[in-house]
Amino acid sequence: SIYHFNRFKSATIQAGLAPGYSMSEGIAEMQRIANEKLDATFSTELSGPSRDYAESSSNILFAFGFALLLIYLVLAAQFESFIDPFIVMMAVPLAIAGAFLSLWLFNQTLNIFSEIGMITLVGLVTKNGILIVEFANQQMEHGLNKYEAIIEAATARLRPILMTSLAVVLGSVPIAFALGAGAKSRVSMGIVIMGGMLFSLMLTLYIIPMIYMMFASKTRHDPDEEPAEEEAEKDRKKKTKMIAKL
């Protein structure tokens, strides 16, 4: 019998992954062989688990980009600035770098579970930058210069950053070292969250203040003092009008 796929005559090639290789590496190798051996009259399509992986990977990239955009817009509304959210989100590349490093150290692969862990990291690591930038802005509103404000913020927010980060890391330990049925597939997600949080924790206290010094505005006004300044300005105008009439 002649087999067909999408109304074309087809031949199905099946292969299993060798130990230590991921689905993405297997798909890339099959594509390389197809490009090398087949001419332009042939086309290839994925099916089964490899097709599901390829489709889910594209959806994960969209979800990751949408998460970054959504968090940036929410932070822009919170800080009433487009620069402060950019400073806060500099923690995300640090976390992603730590995630890939932890996958390499523990000999894990990049799969759907590890990618979900990276999306989770986007929301988890930005809170470190929020704590630092928000406190630094408050200190500048109370009269400190930018350097003094960011040093004070990094020092004062060290304890809450440590507590929240370690709580997330310890909460991910059961996932990273899970046993039993299906545990192997979830291990990479726990390792990604633990590695990304620890790596970001070590560098956030240095990188975020540096970025803040480079891009943050030099002066800030205390919003509580603005009404008083407006009243004083109105009084000065009234006095000026009275003197002019006299």
Side-chain angles (χ1 to χ4, degrees):
S1 62
I2 300 175
Y3 295 96
H4 289 76
F5 182 81
N6 288 340
R7 296 184 299 176
F8 292 97
K9 295 178 182 179
S10 66
T12 302
I13 299 176
Q14 296 180 341
L17 291 172
Y21 290 91
S22 65
M23 180 71 75
S24 60
E25 292 172 326
I27 294 174
E29 183 63 20
M30 290 290 289
Q31 191 63 45
R32 185 193 67 80
I33 296 173
N35 295 335
E36 182 180 323
K37 300 297 182 180
L38 303 179
D39 57 32
T41 61
F42 290 87
S43 63
T44 60
E45 289 287 343
L46 298 173
S47 64
S50 58
R51 183 177 183 177
D52 295 338
Y53 174 82
E55 291 177 351
S56 63
S57 296
S58 61
N59 293 335
I60 286 293
L61 289 176
F62 172 78
F64 186 80
F66 183 74
L68 289 176
L69 177 62
L70 182 62
I71 290 175
Y72 180 83
L73 294 177
V74 171
L75 291 178
Q78 176 186 352
F79 287 106
E80 298 181 354
S81 168
F82 290 108
I83 297 177
D84 289 346
F86 170 76
I87 299 172
V88 169
M89 297 190 70
M90 282 296 100
V92 174
L94 302 177
I96 300 301
F100 280 110
L101 180 62
S102 61
L103 287 176
W104 177 73
L105 289 175
F106 288 91
N107 197 26
Q108 295 292 321
T109 60
L110 182 64
N111 51 46
I112 185 67
F113 291 97
S114 56
E115 291 172 351
I116 292 174
M118 291 182 187
I119 295 178
T120 306
L121 279 177
V122 175
L124 292 176
V125 300
T126 50
K127 55 90 183 171
N128 294 342
I130 293 173
L131 290 172
I132 295 175
V133 172
E134 177 69 16
F135 194 81
N137 290 344
Q138 293 175 359
Q139 295 303 306
M140 289 183 65
E141 290 172 358
H142 288 84
L144 295 182
N145 61 43
K146 186 161 63 173
Y147 177 79
E148 294 172 342
I150 193 61
I151 294 298
E152 179 67 21
T155 304
R157 293 306 189 188
L158 174 61
R159 185 176 179 182
I161 288 175
L162 286 175
M163 289 191 298
T164 54
S165 298
L166 291 178
V168 172
V169 170
L170 294 176
S172 302
V173 168
I175 303 176
F177 299 99
L179 300 174
K184 186 176 180 181
S185 59
R186 298 190 297 270
V187 165
S188 58
M189 180 170 63
I191 289 176
V192 160
I193 294 176
M194 290 180 61
M197 287 298 298
L198 289 175
F199 193 79
S200 175
L201 172 63
M202 290 186 294
L203 295 181
T204 294
L205 296 173
Y206 301 98
I207 300 299
I208 295 298
M210 291 173 57
I211 302 297
Y212 189 88
M213 287 295 300
M214 293 172 59
F215 295 103
S217 59
K218 295 182 178 180
T219 58
R220 290 183 180 271
H221 299 287
D222 190 347
D224 296 334
E225 295 180 357
E226 291 180 359
E229 293 177 356
E230 292 178 358
E231 292 294 333
E233 183 65 23
K234 289 180 181 179
D235 292 338
R236 284 195 295 268
K237 289 181 179 180
K238 287 182 181 179
K239 291 180 180 178
T240 302
K241 290 181 179 179
M242 290 177 63
I243 294 174
K245 289 180 180 180
L246 294 175

